Amino acid sequence: MTEHLYILGHPIAHSKSPVMYNAVYERAGLPWHYGTADLATRAEAEAFLATRDFLSINITTPYKPEAFAAADVRAASASLAHGANVLVNKGGALIAYNTDGQGCVAYLEGAGVSFAGKSVVVCGTGPTALSILHAVAQAGPADVLLLGRDKERAHRVMRTYADELGAMIGRTVDMPAFKEGHLSFAEVYRQVDFRFGSYDTSRQAIAGADIIIDATPLGMNEGDGAPFDVALLRADQTVFDVVYGHGETALAAAARAMGCTFFDGAGMLVGQAVVTVGILRDITETAALDIPEDELFAIMADAAGFDL
């Protein structure tokens, strides 16, 4: 029986997810088909989610909060991010995950970026930014600074994240790190210095950061600027932009001109897809998906035409 899987969002014409996932399912010999659900309104997205007529969906901007709300069960990754980018249908119940952060950090570490002891800036206050914030924190930085346009909003988002992380630690056995050498949830809570600010009030911190991650959608529309003053960039910084497939963003152009080590979101897309395939393998108990992670990464990157 053919199982149907989708990417839900708007706009998604640029998305490489269908060719990536379908390449894996073909490689595994599975009768699964991955398509698109490009829905322009929140009402349409909610109606699509309500049908539950899918095995799994990936969710991108702007419907991660709606996917989170539709879930019956939420993994810690989705709960801390307040948004889901993966929903798996298990017997009619929707299980929510957020793999953005794990995929982002796995890709950057695989490319030689080390977070241990570093000062990291994360731009954005939405689910993608929060997912990345948590995964970065597990990678062992000295401090993580969450930035938004409004300092008070960044403060509220950071405080909520810290409170919910603390509550998770208080009511469960400590959740271990995904990777050897990373921090557990309790270690993140106790050891990492979390800070917040706005782009205008944190200029010194931006200039002094070792790693800057832009987890905003800026760059998806023509004429978008960078989230902060790019004159603050230094050549020895690592800069990552989650946007891909929309041409060179303002941040990408500035980072490359400054001589920064720069990465766009293509590698993160593949990295989170590798995590998603692992979730599907475990939830559906599909042995055909038991493919080594490095092989999965190569299959999907090649299908997407990414040189990673």
Side-chain angles (χ1 to χ4, degrees):
M1 183 179 69
T2 300
E3 295 283 7
H4 294 282
L5 306 92
Y6 299 91
I7 179 168
L8 167 67
H10 182 75
I12 53 175
H14 69 287
S15 178
K16 299 293 186 179
S17 291
V19 296
M20 287 168 42
Y21 284 100
N22 283 325
V24 170
Y25 303 146
E26 182 178 350
R27 159 70 172 75
L30 294 170
W32 294 6
H33 181 264
Y34 190 104
T36 60
D38 192 341
L39 304 177
T41 68
R42 178 180 175 183
E44 289 175 298
E46 289 175 338
F48 175 80
L49 292 166
T51 68
R52 305 196 174 201
D53 188 20
F54 48 80
L55 172 62
S56 177
I57 56 174
N58 293 97
I59 306 95
T60 188
T61 305
Y63 299 129
K64 293 179 184 180
E66 284 73 25
F68 180 79
D72 301 292
V73 180
R74 302 176 181 98
S77 60
S79 294
L80 289 171
H82 282 238
N85 76 329
V86 177
L87 286 176
V88 180
N89 188 336
K90 184 172 177 62
L94 298 183
I95 309 172
Y97 302 85
N98 196 308
T99 62
D100 282 331
Q102 193 178 348
C104 172
V105 169
Y107 167 62
L108 290 176
E109 288 187 327
V113 177
S114 173
F115 292 90
K118 300 295 177 60
S119 178
V120 184
V121 165
V122 177
C123 301
T125 54
T128 301
L130 281 170
S131 181
I132 291 174
L133 172 88
H134 181 67
V136 164
Q138 286 196 294
D143 58 84
V144 184
L145 172 64
L146 184 73
L147 294 182
R149 287 171 294 183
D150 180 80
K151 183 177 180 179
E152 290 309 310
R153 172 170 170 76
H155 184 194
R156 290 194 301 272
V157 170
M158 179 63 86
R159 173 48 55 195
T160 299
Y161 164 79
D163 288 348
E164 292 180 350
L165 179 62
M168 283 183 183
I169 294 166
R171 64 175 177 259
T172 64
V173 174
D174 186 22
M175 286 172 275
F178 291 113
K179 181 178 178 181
E180 185 177 352
H182 282 202
L183 304 180
S184 70
F185 278 40
E187 289 169 334
V188 165
Y189 187 73
R190 294 168 187 152
Q191 296 179 26
V192 179
D193 180 18
F194 289 104
R195 297 180 291 151
F196 64 90
S198 73
Y199 304 123
D200 291 334
T201 62
S202 302
R203 293 173 61 87
Q204 185 174 350
I206 294 170
D210 299 302
I211 302 168
I212 298 173
I213 297 175
D214 180 11
T216 75
L218 288 172
M220 292 185 68
N221 297 307
E222 187 175 353
D224 281 349
F228 57 84
D229 182 0
V230 294
L232 299 171
L233 293 172
R234 304 188 330 267
D236 60 345
Q237 290 174 313
T238 295
V239 179
F240 175 78
D241 191 337
V242 300
V243 172
Y244 80 96
H246 289 80
E248 187 173 55
T249 66
L251 179 60
R256 289 181 174 125
M258 183 58 66
C260 303
T261 300
F262 178 79
F263 302 91
D264 69 16
M268 170 178 153
L269 177 74
V270 181
Q272 63 86 15
V274 169
V275 178
T276 299
V277 170
I279 290 170
L280 282 168
R281 177 197 62 213
D282 295 342
I283 294 296
T284 65
E285 299 181 347
T286 303
L289 292 177
D290 193 15
I291 302 169
E293 289 188 358
D294 57 350
E295 186 176 343
L296 280 174
F297 191 96
I299 291 169
M300 289 191 277
D302 182 66
F306 295 149
D307 182 16
L308 300 172

